[in-house]
Amino acid sequence: MDMDDAYGSNTTTPNEFEEGNSFSVERLRMSLAAMIIIDKLPFCYVEREGFLEFMATVEPRFPIPDHVTVAKDCIKLYLREKEELKQMLAGRRVCLTTDRWTSLQNLDYLCLTAHFIDSDWNHQKKILNLCLVPNHKGETIGKVVESCLLEWGIDKIFTVTVDNSSSNDVTIDYLRRKGKDSEGSILSREFLHMRSYTKVLNLIVQEGLEDLSESIDKIRNAVRYVQSSSTGSEKFKACVEKEKILCETLVCLDLPTRWNFTYMMLDRAEKFENAFERMKEDDVEYLRQFDDDDGNGIKAIGPPNHFDWEKVRAFTKLLKVFYGVILRFSGSSFVTFNAYFQELVVIQHYLRSLCDSGDDPLLREMAESMKRKYDKYWGRVDKINLMLFVAVVLDPQYKFKYIKFWFKNLYDGEQADDMIAKVRDALDRLFDHYATRASSRGVNEQPSDMLHSSLSMFNTERQDSWMMLYEQHLAEENSIEGKSELDHYLSDGNEPIVENFDILSWWKVNSSKYPILGQIAQDVLPIPVSTVASEFAFSVGIMSCIILRVHLRQKSLRPLFVHKIG
């Protein structure tokens, strides 16, 4: 059916407004299409009796389109949103996250998400594509990503955050090889490869989980019994009351493939150790589950004993630090990159203190195992993307002094000096690259011009002659001293360290003072430390509508929707 047929015999055309009324068929149809997408409704919803009666009451002048026309309107809305997003991305540098997923039908999907800071210094996250891919080979993924970027007109990418699979190494090599000589390339895409640090944390935690697998299985089976039937649940609650355990929440079962769920299960369960011990006396069915096999000769391991609870109690104390870090850096709607180094420092310092402690041999043994895995990935600076440290320098609360302090405290003298030198070299080369690019566009990095730009905000019609003389004096003085904008920034005092410091607001105010560093901050700070933004897409549900639905939730189709940043 042609889209125009949906208007039927109604004399009001889609773009026609009645005198003194905001009624518009076009607006209502686009609003209806958006509702179908956002609420994940079937297209035939518009033909159901209840909806037809409701619309007849609300707006009898609106000719209800059939399901075919609604489907066409959804496509039209998608294309409109896509064009608006394409204009927003035009000429902008982005950081990417990508993740892959295989469906129950054995179909391979890839999601590509762009992260950037817009001209108003707001953090933006936009899903660019969710598509079928022929296979999960590295070069295949690289070609799909390249094709998607060409479709969106994106030729400036800074980093691509991926998990630690070997095929992703091939993907990054392909993208680096194809774009290292492009005009928008930063230092030949040297820093393109950003590993998902939350995935690395997962690997470190899994190292500890392996050592406790038997005790964890025992507790998991005990919790499963409590939650498997109402009888088991009631008897457990009775045991909790007898033991006078005061806790707002009861036990919960985990997902064995997600350690953070396992942590929540263990953290809750260990508080009810006495209740589970009483279950051995008060509930014969509780013990019987560990004697019966599953039909294949396999018995459920358990019940947990006192030693199991002691091990789990020690491990949850260790996991609590990692769990907090994962929660903080799984966020994808705000900037996290500048704070990640601090979290790595906390984890390393914590593991080291446990390894050196003799108070709890069991906890020390676990920490030593996890520390070995930590050192494998983060033991040396050459194993970490140096932009992680540049982001710390761009945080005015810390700058370069913080990095030097911690390197000297965490590593031996020669190793610390080597790491400090590598970070400073990367920072200088990055600054020189941006300064050269700014110079080619006629942007002067001298503080006199920065001051002039700031003053022009307040006095756009004329410039005081005395101030012009002072600016000239500053330019000459700084030229003699040979100080660059980077030198001025590093030598200026640090901002006080406060909780929830808004780094984007700070750079929005100070980018006129440090224009080149402001450009670097705008490109570096949105780098994601995890692939959560892309992973989330696979749990949303309707693949065919996901891109449009996310876009509609992220921005409004004024005046039809309430503005909301996703």
Side-chain angles (χ1 to χ4, degrees):
M1 176 188 291
D2 186 75
M3 192 172 291
D4 292 334
D5 294 341
Y7 301 110
S9 58
N10 192 300
T11 56
T12 306
T13 61
N15 298 316
E16 182 179 339
F17 287 81
E18 293 187 3
E19 187 69 26
N21 200 325
S22 61
F23 172 75
S24 166
V25 173
E26 174 71 9
R27 289 179 58 215
L28 287 173
R29 278 194 24 192
M30 290 300 100
S31 179
L32 178 59
M35 181 190 75
I36 294 293
I37 295 166
I38 292 174
D39 292 337
K40 297 176 282 187
L41 299 171
F43 296 135
C44 62
Y45 179 83
V46 297
E47 297 171 351
R48 292 177 179 174
E49 184 177 355
F51 179 75
L52 293 174
E53 289 184 3
F54 174 75
M55 288 304 299
T57 303
V58 173
E59 184 49 85
R61 296 173 296 174
F62 179 53
I64 308 298
D66 62 17
H67 69 280
V68 175
T69 305
V70 169
K72 291 181 178 180
D73 284 349
C74 288
I75 296 298
K76 180 180 179 180
L77 193 54
Y78 164 76
L79 294 175
R80 178 189 298 176
E81 288 288 308
K82 183 176 180 180
E83 186 58 34
E84 289 185 17
L85 179 55
K86 199 170 183 178
Q87 293 175 11
M88 180 187 294
L89 292 168
R92 193 177 298 279
R93 188 175 306 282
V94 301
C95 301
L96 304 174
T97 56
T98 181
D99 197 49
R100 298 165 296 176
W101 174 74
T102 301
S103 70
L104 295 175
Q105 295 77 26
N106 205 32
L107 298 174
D108 295 329
Y109 289 89
L110 177 136
C111 181
L112 187 68
T113 309
H115 307 255
F116 58 93
I117 295 172
D118 63 24
S119 55
D120 290 326
W121 288 90
N122 296 312
H123 181 264
Q124 300 286 350
K125 170 179 64 71
K126 303 292 183 182
I127 293 179
L128 300 181
N129 205 356
L130 196 157
C131 60
L132 282 167
V133 291
N135 54 64
H136 281 181
K137 293 180 180 179
E139 189 155 320
T140 301
I141 300 302
K143 290 179 179 178
V144 172
V145 172
E146 181 185 32
S147 176
C148 179
L149 295 176
L150 288 173
E151 179 185 352
W152 284 94
I154 298 173
D155 61 353
K156 296 179 180 180
I157 59 173
F158 199 165
T159 61
V160 182
T161 302
V162 292
D163 62 30
N164 298 297
S165 66
S166 57
S167 62
N168 279 328
D169 294 341
V170 178
T171 298
I172 297 298
D173 287 341
Y174 176 87
L175 293 173
R176 181 182 288 120
R177 189 172 66 252
K178 292 296 182 180
K180 67 178 183 178
D181 297 325
S182 65
E183 185 178 348
S185 172
I186 300 292
L187 298 176
S188 300
R189 292 192 173 179
E190 176 183 344
F191 306 110
L192 184 68
H193 193 177
M194 180 62 63
R195 297 185 185 277
S196 175
Y197 290 118
T198 52
K199 292 292 181 67
V200 176
L201 284 178
N202 288 339
L203 294 174
I204 295 172
V205 172
Q206 290 297 335
E207 190 74 16
L209 288 174
E210 289 181 8
D211 297 335
L212 286 180
S213 59
E214 183 175 320
S215 296
I216 292 173
D217 284 342
K218 289 180 181 180
I219 293 175
R220 180 180 293 119
N221 290 331
V223 172
R224 182 179 288 115
Y225 171 79
V226 170
Q227 292 202 327
S228 62
S229 67
S230 58
T231 302
S233 178
E234 290 302 319
K235 289 184 177 180
F236 180 72
K237 290 178 181 178
C239 291
V240 170
E241 292 178 1
K242 289 179 182 178
E243 293 295 331
K244 298 180 180 180
I245 299 173
L246 301 177
C247 191
E248 294 181 359
T249 57
L250 291 177
V251 293
C252 62
L253 194 61
D254 70 332
L255 294 173
T257 56
R258 296 292 184 91
W259 73 262
N260 49 327
F261 285 90
T262 301
Y263 163 75
M264 288 189 287
M265 178 189 73
L266 298 177
D267 185 53
R268 289 190 187 181
E270 63 93 8
K271 297 178 176 65
F272 296 94
E273 176 186 354
N274 292 339
F276 279 108
E277 289 300 309
R278 181 174 284 274
M279 288 277 285
K280 296 178 183 178
E281 304 171 2
D282 293 2
D283 187 359
V284 294
E285 292 299 325
Y286 173 68
L287 289 178
R288 184 175 298 169
Q289 70 157 332
F290 300 109
D291 294 327
D292 298 336
D293 61 52
D294 61 357
N296 297 315
I298 300 176
K299 294 183 179 181
I301 186 172
N305 55 39
H306 178 69
F307 186 61
D308 293 319
W309 289 111
E310 284 299 311
K311 288 196 291 185
V312 163
R313 191 169 287 111
F315 190 55
T316 52
K317 187 188 299 182
L318 183 59
L319 277 188
K320 186 175 183 179
V321 175
F322 289 85
Y323 182 70
V325 173
I326 288 292
L327 285 182
R328 285 189 289 276
F329 292 103
S330 293
S332 57
S333 60
F334 49 89
V335 169
T336 59
F337 195 53
N338 59 299
Y340 200 77
F341 176 69
Q342 289 91 305
E343 298 295 340
L344 294 187
V345 166
V346 168
I347 290 173
Q348 184 175 16
H349 183 71
Y350 182 59
L351 290 177
R352 176 175 288 187
S353 63
L354 291 177
C355 292
D356 295 338
S357 173
D359 298 338
D360 191 332
L362 180 61
L363 194 58
R364 185 180 68 248
E365 184 179 345
M366 294 178 192
E368 288 173 349
S369 176
M370 297 170 74
K371 179 68 164 55
R372 286 192 293 271
K373 182 69 76 171
Y374 179 99
D375 291 339
K376 176 182 177 181
Y377 290 100
W378 292 324
R380 288 189 57 83
V381 70
D382 53 7
K383 296 180 180 180
I384 304 177
N385 191 315
L386 294 177
M387 290 303 102
L388 181 71
F389 307 109
V390 171
V392 179
V393 176
L394 293 171
D395 190 328
Q397 300 176 105
Y398 300 102
K399 300 187 179 181
F400 205 77
K401 294 177 182 178
Y402 185 83
I403 291 175
K404 292 170 68 175
F405 172 78
W406 278 111
F407 278 172
K408 289 183 178 296
N409 276 272
L410 294 175
Y411 302 101
D412 296 334
E414 186 176 341
Q415 185 182 8
D417 291 340
D418 179 57
M419 296 174 78
I420 291 170
K422 287 183 177 179
V423 174
R424 181 60 202 241
D425 175 68
L427 179 63
D428 288 338
R429 288 189 294 117
L430 188 66
F431 179 81
D432 290 343
H433 176 92
Y434 276 79
T436 302
R437 189 177 64 178
S439 178
S440 66
R441 295 201 306 264
V443 179
N444 193 324
E445 67 160 306
Q446 291 298 329
S448 59
D449 285 333
M450 298 173 207
L451 182 57
H452 179 81
S453 297
S454 300
L455 290 170
S456 65
M457 297 171 60
F458 304 97
N459 186 3
T460 57
E461 296 181 359
R462 67 184 185 85
Q463 183 65 277
D464 186 272
S465 59
W466 284 105
M467 187 57 69
M468 292 178 66
L469 289 173
Y470 178 63
E471 290 180 32
Q472 184 178 353
H473 166 72
L474 284 179
E476 293 172 354
E477 187 177 75
N478 286 311
S479 177
I480 294 172
E481 294 177 358
K483 287 186 177 181
S484 69
E485 179 186 311
L486 177 59
D487 294 327
H488 280 283
Y489 170 76
L490 295 178
S491 61
D492 286 346
N494 290 18
E495 292 291 327
I497 298 176
V498 296
E499 189 176 359
N500 299 322
F501 177 73
D502 191 343
I503 189 171
L504 294 187
S505 293
W506 190 92
W507 275 108
K508 182 178 182 179
V509 172
N510 290 276
S511 59
S512 58
K513 182 179 180 181
Y514 307 111
I516 295 174
L517 287 174
Q519 294 171 25
I520 297 175
Q522 203 164 27
D523 290 346
V524 170
L525 293 179
I527 296 176
V529 294
S530 79
T531 58
V532 168
S534 292
E535 292 172 22
F536 172 77
F538 297 122
S539 63
V540 173
I542 303 177
M543 297 298 182
S544 60
C545 295
I546 183 172
I547 297 177
L548 180 54
R549 184 167 68 253
V550 171
H551 288 174
L552 288 174
R553 288 193 183 278
Q554 288 174 334
K555 64 174 290 299
S556 62
L557 287 179
R558 296 181 179 90
L560 301 178
F561 306 103
V562 177
H563 185 70
K564 178 180 179 182
I565 299 297

